[in-house]
Amino acid sequence: MYPQFCQFAKAAAQRVAVATGNPALSKARVPIEPPTSALVMSAGYAAGNVTPPMIPNVTANVLTRSPKGVNAPDATEVAKDTTTPFGLSILVEQGSCDPERYKVSGNSVGNSNTINTINTIITMSNCTIIPVPALQDNYMYLIIDNETQQAAAIDPVDVDAIQAAALTANATITTILTTHNHWDHSGGNLKLIRSTPTIDRVYGGVGDDVPGCTHEVTDGSTFSIGTKTNVSVLFTPCHTQGHVCYYVDNAHVFTGDTLFVSGAGNFNTGTPKQMTEAFDKILKLPDSTNVWVGHEYTAKNCAFACYCEPNNKEMKERLEWAKSRGSIHVGGRGTIPTTIGKEKACNPFARIDVLSVMEFCGPCVDVDDERAERMRLVR
């Protein structure tokens, strides 16, 4: 994958040099060794009106296909402390994918004519993850198999936006992954199926009555997207009776409305014990796992986390960070992804066995399951 990526970068940069009349742009710099990760960010633009992002400290900047209506080259190199007016940019930096190192302006909120600001982690292995904001605070996602460009759409409630993201990424949607049956996650399934003839599989949790579902899955179910991207299922009932999370490429987990950044979903159809078991499953994943959540609730979740553990310095820092980031849905930069390790440090629902959270809950007497009771009390 990486050698082909380098070849693409160099060839695309040469095309840019011809298009712009600037021969200096023909030399795309890429690391000699494959980076351990890469950061993808979008400039954010609507109806062909582009506001360029500031991109400091970039080893190489390679741009993918521009959105419909925007006449831009496929790729370019951007030197240190310069800007680019083009669309989705793949920022490749050796050994780092920290979004705090990149300052992007020109965010826009999406509809069928707008490409939203997107923060995407590329592992440079099997798949690309593209978050796509929807509604007031929802997140949809594209998982693109790098070898085939076949993609799965997760919770695609805004069909126009998810199709625009796929077009921009030159990906073909073949699969829908639904975390649960609530309308703001599954409400776009049937429309997307009708308008996208390449879709041949729709996954949802067993017993969750997901619209258009062709494959009901449960704990340990496995399948693939394209030829290289493997998916396994975590059955996490509580928010709904058939809620599932998707663990992708041994690197990413999509948690729907079970685990949020510093928060947890409502126990709508389940019990505190079920949510405790769901968190236990998710938290067994490696600390480095990227966690992609179903909603942008981070700032208010962090405020509650600080109330729960007022002496937790890391939680206070995360609250200030979340406030500074804001929501992509209203022109901010967003707070995804988090990681399993960060949630263990800053999510009170992931810390029910930590002394400070136990003290917040108080004594749990005359209960069969003290851990589940603490989960209830924190909620």
Side-chain angles (χ1 to χ4, degrees):
M1 170 63 191
Y2 190 70
Q4 289 88 342
F5 175 83
C6 295
Q7 291 171 7
F8 166 81
K10 293 174 181 177
Q14 289 172 353
R15 291 195 295 273
V16 171
V18 172
T20 62
N22 185 352
L25 293 179
S26 66
K27 298 179 180 179
R29 296 177 307 196
V30 294
I32 295 175
E33 296 296 327
T36 57
S37 57
L39 177 71
V40 175
M41 304 187 94
S42 160
Y45 39 78
N49 199 4
V50 180
T51 302
M54 294 301 298
I55 309 176
N57 303 321
V58 175
T59 301
N61 182 47
V62 182
L63 301 180
T64 65
R65 183 183 303 274
S66 301
K68 185 177 180 180
V70 178
N71 184 18
D74 289 333
T76 187
E77 180 200 13
V78 179
K80 184 177 180 180
D81 298 325
T82 61
T83 64
T84 174
F86 304 118
L88 289 175
S89 58
I90 302 177
L91 309 183
V92 182
E93 178 163 324
Q94 187 75 30
S96 173
C97 62
D98 181 5
E100 287 301 298
R101 298 192 61 187
Y102 301 93
K103 307 301 179 185
V104 178
S105 61
N107 300 343
S108 56
V109 178
N111 53 46
S112 60
N113 296 316
T114 302
I115 302 298
N116 299 279
T117 296
I118 299 170
N119 298 315
T120 302
I121 299 299
I122 294 185
T123 64
M124 302 306 295
S125 56
N126 296 327
C127 69
T128 299
I129 311 299
I130 299 180
V132 184
L135 305 179
Q136 182 176 351
D137 51 38
N138 280 68
Y139 281 115
M140 312 179 291
Y141 298 95
L142 281 178
I143 307 171
I144 305 173
D145 179 66
N146 288 337
E147 182 166 288
T148 63
Q149 287 296 106
Q150 294 180 13
I154 293 190
D155 293 349
V157 62
D158 186 335
V159 171
D160 291 341
I162 203 74
Q163 289 179 326
L167 178 65
T168 301
N170 196 27
T172 301
I173 300 175
T174 62
T175 307
I176 296 174
L177 308 184
T178 310
T179 60
H180 63 291
N181 65 13
H182 288 169
W183 74 269
D184 59 325
H185 294 260
S186 66
N189 283 11
L190 297 180
K191 180 180 177 181
L192 185 60
I193 293 167
R194 288 194 297 267
S195 61
T196 312
T198 53
I199 293 174
D200 59 12
R201 294 174 294 163
V202 179
Y203 291 93
V206 63
D208 214 40
D209 296 326
V210 167
C213 184
T214 62
H215 293 69
E216 287 196 330
V217 290
T218 189
D219 217 40
S221 297
T222 60
F223 55 91
S224 297
I225 302 164
T227 57
K228 296 290 187 181
T229 304
N230 296 319
V231 182
S232 60
V233 176
L234 304 177
F235 190 55
T236 53
C238 184
H239 187 71
T240 65
Q241 63 183 357
H243 192 293
V244 292
C245 300
Y246 297 99
Y247 183 45
V248 177
D249 204 28
N250 294 319
H252 310 277
V253 64
F254 297 83
T255 56
D257 284 5
T258 293
L259 182 150
F260 298 122
V261 182
S262 288
N266 293 325
F267 308 167
N268 292 324
T269 63
T271 65
K273 180 177 176 62
Q274 284 182 311
M275 187 61 78
T276 303
E277 292 171 346
F279 263 66
D280 286 345
K281 286 181 184 179
I282 296 168
L283 295 174
K284 286 180 181 178
L285 299 176
D287 283 359
S288 60
T289 303
N290 292 306
V291 181
W292 305 90
V293 302
H295 292 269
E296 181 60 59
Y297 292 158
T298 304
K300 66 179 182 180
N301 286 347
C302 288
F304 173 75
C306 290
Y307 172 72
C308 182
E309 293 189 76
N311 296 320
N312 188 320
K313 180 181 178 181
E314 194 167 351
M315 283 185 176
K316 293 178 181 178
E317 292 174 349
R318 187 178 234 198
L319 173 59
E320 294 307 311
W321 171 81
K323 289 179 179 179
S324 71
R325 298 284 295 185
S327 171
I328 291 176
H329 303 73
V330 292
R333 295 161 64 197
T335 60
I336 54 171
T338 181
T339 66
I340 294 295
K342 289 179 181 178
E343 294 312 298
K344 288 179 179 178
C346 294
N347 188 327
F349 301 93
R351 294 169 58 80
I352 58 173
D353 298 318
V354 175
L355 180 60
S356 53
V357 176
M358 295 172 71
E359 290 175 343
F360 173 81
C361 293
C364 297
V365 296
D366 298 326
V367 295
D368 295 331
D369 189 330
E370 290 189 8
R371 298 183 72 242
E373 178 66 4
R374 288 196 293 273
M375 178 67 77
R376 183 188 73 82
L377 291 170
V378 174
R379 189 74 190 93

